[in-house]
Amino acid sequence: MVSPRLGYENLGLGVGLRTVHFGHILKNNPPVDWFEIISENFIDSQGRPRYVLDQIAEKYRIVMHGVSLSIGSTDPLNMEYLKKLKALAQQVNAQWVSDHLCWTGVATRNSHDLLPIPLNEDTLIHTVKRIRIVQEILERPLVLENPSSYVTFADSTLSEWEFLTRMAVESDCGLLLDVNNVYVSAINHDFDPEQFIRSIPHEHIVQFHLAGHTNMGTYCIDTHDGHVVDPVWKLYRLAHNLTGGVSTLLEWDAKIPPFEEMHAEVLKARYYMDQQYDSLPMPAPAPDGTAEGPAVPHPLHYVLPEVQ
Ligand SMILES: [Fe+2]
């Protein structure tokens, strides 16, 4: 039995650090609990982004979130990248380092996308072996996120939650549970998102992600361009209940609003933490038959009375 969150602290409610907010953060020191950075945005940067990050890291706790580890690829691990990742983690005193259960390229070509892997015994052995190597290099448990996905493989023999469970237990890695990704993939692949969240090893969950997505009627796209929808908040409540609470981070990467609005969105989590899971009504079906609807009012006034 591992210790909850692998011993990593619950940092509270954070937001993704985005360039458009640099000036606001430096000037106002907003009362956000922590920031998550995209590792690749700073790994090779010695200019203004790095200058700003160093200042922010003096005042706030930082978590590093990567997009190019490519843990599922058949390419050899990129040792140069891992060396730089470790150096940045030491320099900004990163609380932990995360990436995605995916592959991003092959034959040294980078697709710049988070591509799903077939979920079976062979890919599990391959992934666990590589996680162990990465953890030895970084000298800390790696944290891996469930990506949103749009295709499944004929070669898959395990459900995503079975794969994540065995991967975490066999490699001793942490899990970053992206609640929005569970919802998006559940719509796209027609599985029960509650079963997903109930089935993974909760003591391995180090962090949650929340984000907005775009519902296309018959499928969802993980666009990170808006507010978190009510069904995702309801799943968040379930995940919070099952884990006892872990660091929660809002991702907002397109149509990025002013900092206060982005911060207010993650603070809504306080409302859902206080609710009993069963007391939250299931969302009413939208007119087009999709699963979303405004059955649960956005409780912004509960957390930030001054924000309309
Ligand atoms: Fe995410």
Side-chain angles (χ1 to χ4, degrees):
M1 185 77 175
V2 299
S3 56
R5 303 185 296 272
L6 307 189
Y8 287 137
E9 193 179 339
N10 180 353
L11 303 178
L13 303 175
V15 296
L17 181 64
R18 302 295 179 255
T19 312
V20 292
H21 295 143
F22 279 179
H24 177 89
I25 295 164
L26 292 179
K27 188 175 167 203
N28 299 291
N29 296 319
V32 63
D33 293 338
W34 59 286
F35 285 106
E36 182 187 78
I37 65 168
I38 302 298
S39 309
E40 287 76 4
N41 288 346
F42 300 94
I43 253 179
D44 291 315
S45 167
Q46 297 303 323
R48 176 170 158 76
R50 187 53 198 275
Y51 169 76
V52 172
L53 175 60
D54 289 344
Q55 290 189 67
I56 292 174
E58 283 180 14
K59 296 174 186 158
Y60 297 93
R61 288 181 292 186
I62 302 291
V63 165
M64 285 169 50
H65 186 50
V67 292
S68 56
L69 176 61
S70 202
I71 198 74
S73 176
T74 52
D75 275 5
L77 287 164
N78 184 336
M79 293 301 166
E80 192 58 29
Y81 169 77
L82 286 170
K83 219 167 92 182
K84 290 177 183 176
L85 205 61
K86 186 176 184 180
L88 182 62
Q90 288 168 341
Q91 287 157 12
V92 301
N93 190 26
Q95 301 296 301
W96 56 85
V97 177
S98 67
D99 206 292
H100 303 79
L101 173 61
C102 71
W103 60 288
T104 55
V106 70
T108 72
R109 300 195 63 154
N110 192 338
S111 72
H112 298 288
D113 215 336
L114 307 173
L115 303 167
I117 62 172
L119 304 173
N120 58 43
E121 297 293 334
D122 289 341
T123 57
L124 180 65
I125 291 168
H126 177 71
T127 305
V128 166
K129 190 171 143 200
R130 285 160 66 94
I131 293 171
R132 288 197 171 284
I133 295 169
V134 170
Q135 291 181 148
E136 271 180 34
I137 293 168
L138 297 181
E139 297 182 281
R140 58 171 87 201
L142 179 66
V143 180
L144 285 177
E145 173 179 352
N146 57 299
S148 57
S149 61
Y150 308 89
V151 295
T152 54
F153 293 89
D155 280 352
S156 287
T157 56
L158 300 167
S159 67
E160 190 176 352
W161 53 91
E162 287 170 334
F163 191 97
L164 287 168
T165 298
R166 289 186 54 193
M167 178 191 83
V169 170
E170 291 174 26
S171 71
D172 298 320
C173 78
L175 296 174
L176 194 175
L177 177 64
D178 189 313
V179 182
N180 180 60
N181 286 354
V182 173
Y183 181 79
V184 166
S185 294
I187 294 289
N188 292 344
H189 307 313
D190 194 26
F191 64 73
D192 177 1
E194 287 194 17
Q195 184 183 1
F196 186 121
I197 290 172
R198 289 184 192 280
S199 302
I200 54 177
H202 303 122
E203 65 280 10
H204 281 260
I205 300 176
V206 172
Q207 181 187 336
F208 295 138
H209 267 172
L210 293 164
H213 64 256
T214 302
N215 191 324
M216 306 299 286
T218 54
Y219 61 98
C220 287
I221 304 175
D222 185 28
T223 44
H224 293 190
D225 64 349
H227 295 273
V228 180
V229 300
D230 296 328
V232 172
W233 280 122
K234 189 168 193 290
L235 292 172
Y236 173 75
R237 169 64 196 132
L238 174 64
H240 175 80
N241 183 262
L242 292 169
T243 58
V246 306
S247 303
T248 298
L249 190 286
L250 177 78
E251 299 180 290
W252 202 319
D253 294 294
K255 303 179 197 164
I256 300 175
F259 187 86
E260 292 92 337
E261 184 179 343
M262 187 165 160
H263 190 201
E265 185 70 11
V266 78
L267 294 182
K268 290 178 186 173
R270 290 178 185 161
Y271 168 81
Y272 289 94
M273 288 174 192
D274 291 340
Q275 300 302 305
Q276 289 302 309
Y277 178 70
D278 291 339
S279 73
L280 295 173
M282 282 303 288
D288 62 359
T290 57
E292 293 180 10
V296 181
H298 282 293
L300 203 49
H301 59 283
Y302 287 92
V303 291
L304 276 187
E306 71 275 20
V307 176
Q308 297 300 312

